Amino acid sequence: CALPISDLRRADRRLAFADVADEVRQSFLTWVAERYDALEVEKSILLLDVSKPLDGLPDFSVAGFVRQALHSYVASGKAKEATQHVALTNIAHLAFFSSQITVESFPRAVTSAAAMRNLAEEETASKAKPTAEDGASVGIIEYGAGKGGLIAAMRRAYPQLPTIVVDRDLFRDMKDTQLAKEGRGGRRKEAQGQQGNAAEPEAASSTSAPANTPHARIKMNIKDFNVDKCLEGIKNGSVELLAGGTIQCSDQSLLPTQWLAVGKHLCGGCTDMTLRSVVEAKEVAFRGIMIATCCHHMCSPDTYLYPSLFDGAPNLLAKTPNCEAASSSPFEMFLDCCCGIAGWAISGKDIDDDRRLVGRKVKRLLDFGRVQYLKARMRHDGSGPLFRFVGMVQYAPNSTTEENEVLVAIP
């Protein structure tokens, strides 16, 4: 992820929730419970059928490609991570690429196992290139990509789509750059030489990106990433693209006219900065957003998008007179309290069930605020809402990951 340095430093100055007076803590916990129920947050979350973490997922043609390509990845002991990539790829397929699903039918399709299996049979017979409704080509941008596991899975599923990853750091064993090399044929013979069974690598390479499919890795902090300027820079060659499998996207004809913004486990304020990057884009059209949120304890008043979430909250600042160094406003203190207990949801066996439930409610409340922010965004020409559907989807069971909810926005 790419949290601003100021946010990381500020986290050390935060008022610890355990240090506030008992009266303040109780006021806060009471408000969380009442607000959670009043907004009906629980009812707003779509639950994917995840009774069987890997095999229970619908066998879309794209998911079949992903599973095939990730066979060795699963065998290496990283099945849980591969499961998440498959689930998110399936959700992206339902929300943005399926010819059988409309915005209105998406909630039912993503929660009904029967509907998803029926759709799988129809989709398997269709291998049309994913395009927007107006026939425009589509590309994928992954924010805070890390090693690029999600974008690599999606490139396996959609080998013809241009892709860009943005992260402030470099990593060893970056999956996206390896896949770009495979797409140009650089690793196929090596892979076949290392495997005893030549059939499996051949199947994997058959879903690699074509040699002329653009892919770029940009080393940049999300807070500095202006999608309009960066895509224009890629077109004219003024943006520095990293070596190691990236392709210089200098041919404008190779770049799509619409983009899908994705992210997996974008920590705290990185999710907010990514959402702002998308909605503030003026020249670039977005096909939608799919971001798996994470690490809500790293949210920041400087970046959080929906302060109105805390309207009507008790003024905890007035009840804690010696906290000026940590929180300078009632909103800032209340968000600090949220951050202080959001981690309870994922603290394992060290936290009792009651506190774990409170932590989960806080995380969902913060995501609910992000959903409301997106719902309120209007098109630049004022013709209507920017998104026709915005919601949270639980895409994996807690046994796979406790950070298992993804924000989906469909224009």
Side-chain angles (χ1 to χ4, degrees):
C1 294
L3 282 171
I5 297 298
S6 59
D7 282 358
L8 294 175
R9 290 173 178 168
R10 186 184 174 283
D12 295 333
R13 305 199 308 268
R14 275 187 173 148
L15 182 68
F17 186 66
D19 294 337
V20 301
D22 291 342
E23 180 186 0
V24 174
R25 288 203 301 270
Q26 190 56 49
S27 295
F28 173 78
L29 295 175
T30 299
W31 180 89
V32 167
E34 292 176 350
R35 188 71 163 162
Y36 189 86
D37 293 340
L39 296 175
E40 296 186 327
V41 175
E42 192 79 29
K43 295 180 180 179
S44 69
I45 299 170
L46 302 176
L47 302 179
L48 185 68
D49 182 9
V50 291
S51 56
K52 296 179 180 179
L54 188 61
D55 296 332
L57 290 168
D59 190 17
F60 294 125
S61 56
V62 291
F65 293 158
V66 174
R67 290 202 196 102
Q68 190 178 49
L70 292 177
H71 175 78
S72 60
Y73 192 57
V74 174
S76 68
K78 297 184 177 180
K80 290 185 177 181
E81 190 169 356
T83 298
Q84 297 173 57
H85 295 157
V86 172
L88 290 171
T89 300
N90 274 279
I91 290 174
H93 182 70
L94 285 171
F96 309 109
F97 298 132
S98 172
S99 60
Q100 309 295 327
I101 297 297
T102 64
V103 174
E104 293 75 21
S105 64
F106 172 74
R108 179 177 177 274
V110 81
T111 56
S112 168
M116 294 178 83
R117 291 190 182 97
N118 291 337
L119 177 65
E121 297 176 359
E122 298 172 356
E123 292 292 334
T124 300
S126 174
K127 297 182 179 179
K129 181 177 179 179
T131 59
E133 292 178 358
D134 59 359
S137 59
V138 181
I140 304 173
I141 301 178
E142 182 178 7
Y143 287 76
K147 291 187 176 182
L150 175 59
I151 202 70
M154 298 189 75
R155 280 176 68 83
R156 298 281 194 190
Y158 302 110
Q160 69 275 40
L161 298 189
T163 50
I164 295 174
V165 298
V166 182
D167 200 284
R168 70 175 185 177
D169 292 320
L170 293 179
F171 303 86
R172 297 180 60 186
D173 191 29
M174 291 184 290
K175 307 299 181 184
D176 60 305
T177 54
Q178 290 179 5
L179 195 61
K181 291 178 183 178
E182 290 180 18
R184 296 198 303 272
R187 291 177 59 92
R188 292 181 185 175
K189 292 183 180 180
E190 177 185 349
Q192 290 177 354
Q194 292 177 348
Q195 299 288 338
N197 183 358
E200 185 178 319
E202 184 176 355
S205 64
S206 68
T207 57
S208 298
N212 63 342
T213 301
H215 172 69
R217 174 175 278 268
I218 300 176
K219 184 181 179 183
M220 186 178 293
N221 197 310
I222 292 176
K223 72 181 179 67
D224 301 321
F225 181 69
N226 182 303
V227 65
D228 289 326
K229 292 181 179 179
C230 282
L231 287 176
E232 182 61 30
I234 288 175
K235 288 180 181 179
N236 60 35
S238 63
V239 170
E240 180 181 357
L241 301 180
L242 302 181
T246 61
I247 300 174
Q248 182 70 40
C249 304
S250 57
D251 186 350
Q252 295 189 26
S253 65
L254 293 178
L255 290 177
T257 54
Q258 289 193 353
W259 291 88
L260 170 63
V262 303
K264 174 174 171 283
H265 291 171
L266 279 177
C267 293
C270 290
T271 292
D272 301 298
M273 289 186 287
T274 297
L275 296 179
R276 184 178 286 112
S277 169
V278 173
V279 302
E280 292 183 354
K282 293 181 173 59
E283 303 298 328
V284 177
F286 276 89
R287 180 66 173 145
I289 302 172
M290 183 187 72
I291 296 177
T293 58
C294 175
C295 298
H296 295 74
H297 61 280
M298 294 302 297
C299 289
S300 164
D302 299 331
T303 59
Y304 188 69
L305 297 169
Y306 197 68
S308 299
L309 177 70
F310 304 104
D311 289 349
N315 188 347
L316 304 183
L317 193 63
K319 299 180 180 180
T320 312
N322 298 321
C323 66
E324 288 82 0
S327 304
S328 58
S329 69
F331 159 66
E332 188 171 334
M333 181 176 181
F334 216 88
L335 184 61
D336 280 352
C337 286
C338 284
C339 295
I341 67 173
W344 290 355
I346 54 172
S347 295
K349 297 179 180 180
D350 297 331
I351 297 294
D352 59 65
D353 291 341
D354 290 339
R355 286 196 291 174
R356 187 187 302 276
L357 178 60
V358 173
R360 174 64 67 181
K361 287 183 176 181
V362 167
K363 289 168 70 69
R364 286 179 167 175
L365 271 172
L366 292 173
D367 283 340
F368 184 87
R370 290 161 169 163
V371 168
Q372 300 311 305
Y373 167 81
L374 292 179
K375 285 183 175 181
R377 297 306 97 192
M378 302 296 289
R379 297 180 184 274
H380 293 304
D381 60 5
S383 60
L386 185 58
F387 300 101
R388 292 180 291 166
F389 170 87
V390 186
M392 300 297 299
V393 179
Q394 182 179 321
Y395 67 91
N398 289 337
S399 58
T400 298
T401 173
E402 292 182 320
E403 301 279 19
N404 57 1
E405 294 179 4
V406 59
L407 188 155
V408 177
I410 308 174

